[in-house]
Amino acid sequence: MKKVVLILSEGYEELEAISVIDILRRAGVTLEVVGVGDTNITGAHGVTMVCDDVYEYYGMLDFDGVVLVGGMQNATTLSQDESVIRLIQEYVSCGKMVAGICATPALVFSEAGILEGRRATCYPSDSLVSQLGMSYVDEACVVDDNIITSQSPDTALEFALTIVEYLGYNASAVYSDLQGK
């Protein structure tokens, strides 16, 4: 069974976080949600998530992948956290999955320097796209080796299902379950 960590800080995008949590857990992925500095983290629209634990760099090294969601405040905080940047770099260098949606590819992944020569997407605003530079691809989800990126709350379901599929689980069965089939 694969084990993935979702790191949240204040101002995270609720729809993206809940989509990832719901879909990965439906698929049977072991998902731990951790909060930067606290277990109670409030999203961009006032929804407070009670996380499983508090983020600590060394506690995150045994996971198969890491997921970061958007929300401008969340992405900015994570991009300025040296231990998060180091964790992302470590995961990429070890071939572990790194997934980010919305502003996180432009802010966090660019800060970590992991997109050099890679294809990626992010929230399609000029300021964020310019931070991705030549790697930007205008697609809902982009998988480039062990890096998965996606655009916005509108693509959150596709992002979560792409992660499920990447991890070797049956994304079609999860999608059918959502439709009540």
Side-chain angles (χ1 to χ4, degrees):
M1 186 178 317
K2 298 290 183 174
K3 188 175 166 186
V4 173
V5 63
L6 171 64
I7 304 171
L8 298 177
S9 67
E10 294 292 317
Y12 71 92
E13 172 51 56
E14 293 96 338
L15 182 59
E16 294 165 358
I18 295 299
S19 294
V20 167
I21 293 165
D22 182 83
I23 297 300
L24 269 63
R25 288 184 176 166
R26 280 179 194 252
V29 175
T30 299
L31 178 69
E32 187 166 334
V33 181
V34 298
V36 174
D38 198 349
T39 55
N40 293 317
I41 305 294
T42 302
H45 303 99
V47 177
T48 299
M49 173 81 63
V50 179
C51 299
D52 300 314
D53 208 345
V54 174
Y55 168 77
E56 181 185 334
Y57 172 79
Y58 292 104
M60 304 296 109
L61 297 176
D62 293 331
F63 288 86
D64 299 302
V66 61
V67 179
L68 304 178
V69 298
M72 201 57 146
Q73 182 184 354
N74 176 61
T76 300
T77 298
L78 297 178
S79 72
Q80 295 169 352
D81 187 315
E82 291 180 22
S83 71
V84 170
I85 297 302
R86 190 169 68 239
L87 183 73
I88 298 297
Q89 293 167 335
E90 177 72 20
Y91 270 51
V92 169
S93 70
C94 292
K96 294 181 178 186
M97 182 199 76
V98 173
I101 185 170
C102 204
T104 58
L107 298 182
V108 183
F109 293 1
S110 292
E111 180 66 27
I114 64 169
L115 297 177
E116 181 81 25
R118 306 249 195 177
R119 299 173 62 241
T121 196
C122 66
Y123 189 84
S125 74
D126 291 341
S127 63
L128 292 174
V129 167
S130 68
Q131 291 187 51
L132 278 182
M134 296 303 293
S135 63
Y136 180 74
V137 178
D138 189 12
E139 294 177 8
C141 285
V142 175
V143 179
D144 189 322
D145 193 25
N146 59 327
I147 300 174
I148 301 170
T149 55
S150 190
Q151 290 187 330
S152 68
D154 188 44
T155 63
L157 178 60
E158 184 175 344
F159 176 62
L161 290 167
T162 300
I163 293 169
V164 165
E165 186 175 304
Y166 177 88
L167 293 171
Y169 291 81
N170 189 338
S172 295
V174 174
Y175 188 70
S176 291
D177 180 51
L178 290 173
Q179 297 177 317
K181 294 179 183 175

